[in-house]
Amino acid sequence: MKEITIISGKGGSGKTSLTGALRLLASPLVSVDADVDAPNLSLIAGAATRLEEHEFIASSVATVDSEKCNGCNHCGQLCRYGAISAGRVDPLRCEGCGLCQLACPNQAVTMEEVESGRWFVSETQSGPLVHACLHPGAENSGKLVTAVRRRARELATAQGLALILADGPPGIGCPVMAALTGSDLALLVTEPSPSGLHDLERVWRVCQHFRIQAQVVVNKSDLSPENTERIEAFAKEEGMALAGRIPFDRAVTAAVSAGAPLNPRQTGKTARAIRQIWEKISQDI
Amino acid sequence: MKIAVASGKGGTGKTFIATNLAALLAEQMQVTLVDADVEEPNAGLFLGPKITGELQVDLPVPALDADSCTGCGQCAAACRYGALAMVGNHPLILDHLCHGCGACTYICPSGALFEVGRRIGVVRMGSARQLRFIEGRLDPGQALAPPLVRATRARAAEEDGLVIIDAPPGTSCPVVAAVTGVDYVVLVTEPTPFGWNDLSLAAGMLRQLGLPLGVVINRWGMGGYPVEEQCRRTGLLVLLRLPWDRQVAVTYARGQLSIDDSPHWRRALGELYKAVVREVRP
């Protein structure tokens, strides 16, 4: 079983559109939407039957028993998140550390588990899709990513599927790390802009930190051939393989707007570019 | 006044709006641009700031004085992040899991745990064009963006005048840290199902926080998705539509600002600011 995670650093570089198209070429496979706080893969995954729905409970929030609380504000002085003050809790700031509970001289604070999101398994024409939705403003997106990836591995084993393809989150922080660890390949999708190169470099440092092999795709490459070359030169210097270039093509947006990825089996240079990327990465892993 | 530019979905044009708006308004008033997208801070690429100061941001993590440790295990029992594990008679500190809450040092009865700073990134200050510039920059390999976002915001709290915050994408804790306490949030979206889905999630988060918000539809005319109808249906105010324009992508690719390209963009962003002011001070 092999796991490929598609990340980018910069948001909006085309991770989900590319994941959607690669799924069709790699089918049957297990797909994962690991961007749990802005999950979009299911929007272009075609007709799907929801097979499983789970609560995701990984954090707790302080609650105060107002009858026991004498308003001493010992909790407020200790809390490093500004989440509690004289017995009033701001649940969006609370990180569930429990220090207020430990410290309250009147035992007025208890920690209550809260649902931070939900996760699902849906059956699609290309195989199972494991996806999730973190509740807005919630904590622990990294743990939710870990939960969906774990289920994806179980499904791949149970159904004898050889590939897990994960659409990852933007950025370099905890959910990206959770999406990357243990992957066989990180496919780094970038765009030919200063932001694209800057963010690629930072996300590559994270891959190196975890010793994950990476390949680079330059999306919308014709919007700036100079920057595309700069990005590819950077990739070569750093020892990353180039998986390919995808031209800017309004047909991709049109397809996504209609609820589907660009069909990679059709004619045209964008579809061909995606097929070539798939051939390269499937050979390499 | 503090305005945050956020989006839900990444790549919709937050940095484009924040940098162009800040640079335009700085011609007439005191403006500070705060890049709170600490995982991928990009505003500086378009403003070319001269950096004049840097502040290291540390997370307080526990360290052990093994001679004083009695092996009671209360620290590991208190830690809710699994950052302390009892191995034999001492806690093993897994500081990459630590959130810096201080529970372990608080509970330790023998004073064996003390706190040391672990660097997570920097806040950099400077100036660009006519504006003040502040950015947070998370070190690659560090997981916890929110403390650095808070440190970046704390540095910006000392600034007078208009503060424009370029927020991170998503709807989880880093965004909450970036937008808490602002006067208004501009949510940038695009006319695709992805843009709408993530916009509605971000709007839900802002409503929970009780923050007023308005929507900018960027790349208008590019995707066919009826995002404006969806906004109307759900009671979201559309402040501005910015047409899709290949020249914008080309200018952005060169690391330049569109307000320097054409008076059209100056006008559009000037209108956006007026619309926000009307909402904040009716």
Side-chain angles (χ1 to χ4, degrees):
Chain A
M1 183 205 312
K2 296 286 181 185
E3 284 187 82
I4 301 176
T5 301
I6 302 191
I7 51 174
S8 65
K10 181 171 178 348
S13 59
K15 288 180 295 297
T16 305
S17 298
L18 179 60
T19 309
L22 290 176
R23 288 178 77 237
L24 300 179
L25 295 173
S27 174
L29 79 167
V30 179
S31 310
V32 177
D33 191 344
D35 186 1
V36 298
D37 67 318
N40 290 333
L41 187 59
S42 70
L43 301 176
I44 54 165
T49 316
R50 190 166 286 180
L51 302 178
E52 297 175 24
E53 175 164 352
H54 305 270
E55 292 176 335
F56 172 66
I57 296 169
S59 54
S60 43
V61 165
T63 26
V64 177
D65 180 342
S66 56
E67 283 179 16
K68 291 186 182 165
C69 174
N70 66 359
C72 72
N73 199 32
H74 190 45
C75 53
Q77 283 159 359
L78 288 169
C79 178
R80 295 185 171 172
Y81 311 109
I84 190 166
S85 166
R88 274 199 315 279
V89 179
D90 179 347
L92 278 172
R93 289 192 181 196
C94 178
E95 298 215 359
C97 74
L99 178 56
C100 52
Q101 180 190 29
L102 294 171
C104 179
N106 305 306
Q107 285 85 46
V109 185
T110 48
M111 300 303 293
E112 289 195 359
E113 287 189 328
V114 286
E115 182 184 290
S116 323
R118 300 198 148 237
W119 62 276
F120 317 95
V121 178
S122 299
E123 189 57 37
T124 73
Q125 283 198 332
S126 306
L129 166 66
V130 191
H131 51 124
C133 195
L134 192 74
H135 293 326
E139 303 268 334
N140 276 319
S141 52
K143 282 189 184 166
L144 183 51
V145 170
T146 304
V148 292
R149 287 187 66 205
R150 188 185 307 125
R151 185 71 185 122
R153 281 189 213 114
E154 289 168 6
L155 289 165
T157 306
Q159 301 184 17
L161 296 168
L163 180 69
I164 299 172
L165 188 61
D167 183 15
I172 62 165
C174 89
V176 175
M177 292 176 168
L180 261 186
T181 48
S183 287
D184 298 284
L185 176 70
L187 194 58
L188 310 182
V189 184
T190 188
E191 58 170 44
S193 68
S195 315
L197 175 56
H198 172 264
D199 297 356
L200 172 71
E201 186 177 343
R202 287 168 62 78
V203 84
W204 165 236
R205 300 286 167 241
V206 179
C207 294
Q208 287 178 306
H209 186 91
F210 289 106
R211 297 171 208 278
I212 308 280
Q213 186 197 85
Q215 298 198 10
V216 174
V217 172
V218 184
N219 192 16
K220 310 173 201 168
S221 56
D222 49 336
L223 284 179
S224 172
E226 305 83 9
N227 284 333
T228 297
E229 277 166 27
R230 217 167 281 155
I231 287 167
E232 292 180 346
F234 169 75
K236 276 184 202 150
E237 255 167 54
E238 296 281 332
M240 283 184 279
L242 300 172
R245 293 178 177 186
I246 303 173
F248 176 73
D249 187 346
R250 294 185 73 160
V252 174
T253 318
V256 165
S257 291
L262 185 91
N263 177 2
R265 292 204 170 85
Q266 70 189 30
T267 54
K269 53 183 181 178
T270 308
R272 193 168 61 237
I274 293 170
R275 286 198 300 275
Q276 285 167 351
I277 289 167
W278 171 239
E279 275 162 30
K280 163 127 185 67
I281 58 176
S282 55
Q283 271 170 20
D284 290 353
I285 66 159
Chain B
M1 182 162 68
K2 295 188 190 70
I3 304 172
V5 184
S7 70
K9 180 176 176 338
T12 56
K14 285 180 300 298
T15 301
F16 170 78
I17 300 271
T19 52
N20 279 282
L21 184 66
L24 176 74
L25 297 172
E27 294 169 8
Q28 309 152 21
M29 60 182 96
Q30 188 181 337
V31 179
T32 305
L33 188 280
V34 180
D35 195 342
D37 185 0
V38 303
E39 293 179 48
E40 298 293 14
N42 289 332
L45 298 170
F46 302 91
L47 297 168
K50 184 170 174 282
I51 299 297
T52 50
E54 186 174 295
L55 203 75
Q56 180 177 321
V57 178
D58 293 345
L59 190 74
V61 299
L64 183 72
D65 170 10
D67 292 341
S68 312
C69 177
T70 62
C72 70
Q74 288 187 58
C75 54
C79 180
R80 290 177 172 252
Y81 308 112
L84 292 145
M86 292 306 287
V87 176
N89 278 332
H90 292 317
L92 177 70
I93 298 166
L94 307 161
D95 74 1
H96 62 286
L97 297 174
C98 176
H99 284 220
C101 71
C104 55
T105 43
Y106 178 84
I107 203 76
C108 176
S110 57
L113 283 174
F114 58 100
E115 286 188 327
V116 293
R118 191 193 69 210
R119 178 184 152 129
I120 57 170
V122 292
V123 178
R124 305 202 302 166
M125 290 78 73
S127 56
R129 296 168 73 118
Q130 288 136 292
L131 48 83
R132 290 273 301 144
F133 175 83
I134 298 173
E135 71 167 11
R137 188 166 274 274
L138 187 71
D139 290 343
Q142 293 296 330
L144 285 184
L148 185 55
V149 175
R150 285 191 285 267
T152 309
R153 290 283 311 274
R155 182 61 196 74
E158 298 160 23
E159 302 294 331
D160 300 321
L162 178 66
V163 175
I164 295 178
I165 298 165
D166 189 5
T171 61
S172 64
C173 36
V175 192
V176 172
V179 302
T180 300
V182 301
D183 299 294
Y184 200 79
V185 183
V186 172
L187 282 176
V188 188
T189 188
E190 59 181 31
T192 64
F194 298 168
W196 165 248
N197 183 57
D198 301 350
L199 171 70
S200 57
L201 293 170
M205 169 205 64
L206 295 173
R207 282 172 172 162
Q208 264 189 58
L209 289 169
L211 292 173
L213 64 111
V215 176
V216 171
I217 305 175
N218 194 15
R219 304 194 187 107
W220 180 256
M222 179 159 179
Y225 190 82
V227 70
E228 186 165 17
E229 286 75 7
Q230 293 279 32
C231 286
R232 207 176 300 134
R233 195 175 55 76
T234 51
L236 293 174
L237 173 71
V238 176
L239 299 165
L240 184 70
R241 295 180 217 102
L242 293 171
W244 186 79
D245 180 349
R246 198 181 171 105
Q247 182 57 40
V248 172
V250 171
T251 301
Y252 191 84
R254 290 196 187 119
Q256 294 168 354
L257 296 181
S258 286
I259 55 164
D260 295 336
D261 266 1
S262 132
H264 165 75
W265 289 102
R266 298 174 63 88
R267 239 188 342 263
L269 290 162
E271 277 167 29
L272 173 62
Y273 178 64
K274 279 186 212 149
V276 171
V277 170
R278 268 198 305 273
E279 290 297 311
V280 176
R281 303 182 187 130

